[in-house]
Amino acid sequence: MVEKREFLYEGKAKRVYRTENPDLYLVEFKDDATAFDGLKRGTIAGKGEVNARVSAILFRILEREGIPTHFVELRSPREMLVKALKIFPVEVVVRNVAAGSLAQRLGLKEGTVLKNPVLEFYYKSDELHDPMINEYHVAALELATPDQVELMKNYALQVNEILARVLEPADLILIDFKLEFGLHHGEMLLGDEISPDTCRFWDRHTKEKLDKDRFRRDLGKVEEAYQEVFRRINEAVGEM
Ligand code: UDP
């Protein structure tokens, strides 16, 4: 078993540790939740485990479909062994249905189906509150090369198609999601997590929100929604 070594850093929802293998990190998923740029804080019991397990299931499927990811294995229900990445300071968001900041910015009713998937970049900067940027900004600030941007876009749109397909038998609509990429020995890998913290999932029939918006907007039944997403995805892929 790979040993947990010194603590590297702590994010809002995860802690990262080195291991005895310099190529591998151990990520510990926490129950802590934040929203609105850290202004709202709380705990969602069981979230760390759900996010680790949902991410593990989805990373495995993506790997099988040809998307290289940092995922190695789950070491415990909330500890994930991953390939060490140098993360690009760019968040890639893909949207199928208007919600959240897009609905606000463009005056669209939440739930409006978009004619085509919309891909956006955000600059990861706490100081600047993660402003939206485009490919010209990415190039000008040298956040990634044009080839790397092209690869991130291709992977993100492929991830969208694969996830939408996987979530269908779980009766979940993939409204939108955020991805992060990084380099491991020069290879571009999908990193971070894919979970109800980083995706919006709505029930196909009732359109009930089953994601972090329940926490952000005080909708209640937050823990239940996270458990429900894990239960449905686990059941659906068990049959795949
Ligand atoms: N998202 C994320 N981390 C962020 C910002 C957004 O995981 O720092 C996810 C969010 O959960 C949603 C998608 O990216 O699935 C689009 O988020 P949006 O721009 O609507 O921002 P929000 O309304 O979450 O502030």
Side-chain angles (χ1 to χ4, degrees):
M1 178 127 114
V2 180
E3 261 179 65
K4 194 189 237 173
R5 292 274 172 90
E6 84 260 30
F7 167 79
L8 256 185
Y9 57 83
E10 179 153 11
K12 290 169 192 141
K14 302 193 263 323
R15 263 182 225 107
V16 183
Y17 296 86
R18 280 191 212 280
T19 67
E20 76 269 23
N21 181 339
D23 278 339
L24 299 177
Y25 288 165
L26 199 83
V27 179
E28 202 178 272
F29 287 71
K30 303 190 287 181
D31 286 351
D32 301 354
T34 64
F36 309 120
D37 221 6
L39 285 177
K40 184 181 170 91
R41 287 163 189 279
T43 304
I44 302 173
K47 172 171 86 76
E49 190 169 326
V50 165
N51 286 0
R53 298 175 79 159
V54 167
S55 295
I57 293 173
L58 298 178
F59 279 138
R60 271 198 200 101
I61 293 173
L62 291 172
E63 285 278 353
R64 215 172 60 202
E65 301 278 331
I67 309 287
T69 80
H70 71 158
F71 177 74
V72 177
E73 63 178 27
L74 276 189
R75 199 181 81 141
S76 79
R78 59 168 74 227
E79 287 178 312
M80 185 182 287
L81 198 62
V82 300
K83 294 177 184 164
L85 287 186
K86 192 166 183 306
I87 292 275
F88 292 99
V90 169
E91 294 185 344
V92 185
V93 168
V94 179
R95 307 174 180 271
N96 299 302
V97 176
S101 71
L102 179 85
Q104 280 214 333
R105 212 157 39 77
L106 299 186
L108 294 171
K109 191 170 176 292
E110 265 210 330
T112 306
V113 177
L114 301 167
K115 199 96 182 128
N116 50 268
V118 169
L119 188 145
E120 298 168 346
F121 293 108
Y122 292 85
Y123 179 29
K124 272 168 71 95
S125 161
D126 288 339
E127 268 171 37
L128 300 174
H129 313 287
D130 297 355
M132 181 156 66
I133 53 176
N134 65 29
E135 291 174 47
Y136 291 88
H137 301 106
V138 175
L141 274 65
E142 296 186 283
L143 306 179
T145 68
D147 283 352
Q148 289 167 337
V149 169
E150 214 41 45
L151 199 52
M152 283 193 247
K153 280 164 56 182
N154 282 334
Y155 282 156
L157 293 172
Q158 280 183 61
V159 168
N160 186 42
E161 289 189 3
I162 297 164
L163 292 187
R165 203 181 337 121
V166 168
L167 295 171
E168 203 174 311
D171 272 341
L172 294 172
I173 310 175
L174 181 60
I175 303 296
D176 57 31
F177 59 94
K178 184 261 302 180
L179 300 177
E180 296 188 25
F181 294 90
L183 292 181
H184 179 76
H185 293 299
E187 189 194 3
M188 166 98 62
L189 302 181
L190 176 60
D192 196 45
E193 66 182 290
I194 307 176
S195 73
D197 268 10
T198 62
C199 305
R200 285 193 170 94
F201 299 124
W202 291 5
D203 179 85
R204 182 168 308 284
H205 305 292
T206 65
K207 306 292 190 285
E208 188 187 7
K209 294 176 172 43
L210 294 170
D211 54 57
K212 196 171 159 189
D213 273 346
R214 300 205 73 82
F215 169 77
R216 292 190 190 101
R217 304 179 189 186
D218 293 320
L219 300 177
K221 295 204 174 151
V222 184
E223 279 85 4
E224 288 87 342
Y226 278 76
Q227 296 299 333
E228 176 73 8
V229 165
F230 170 65
R231 192 189 61 75
R232 287 196 198 186
I233 293 178
N234 194 38
E235 239 175 63
V237 301
E239 292 152 19
M240 285 181 136

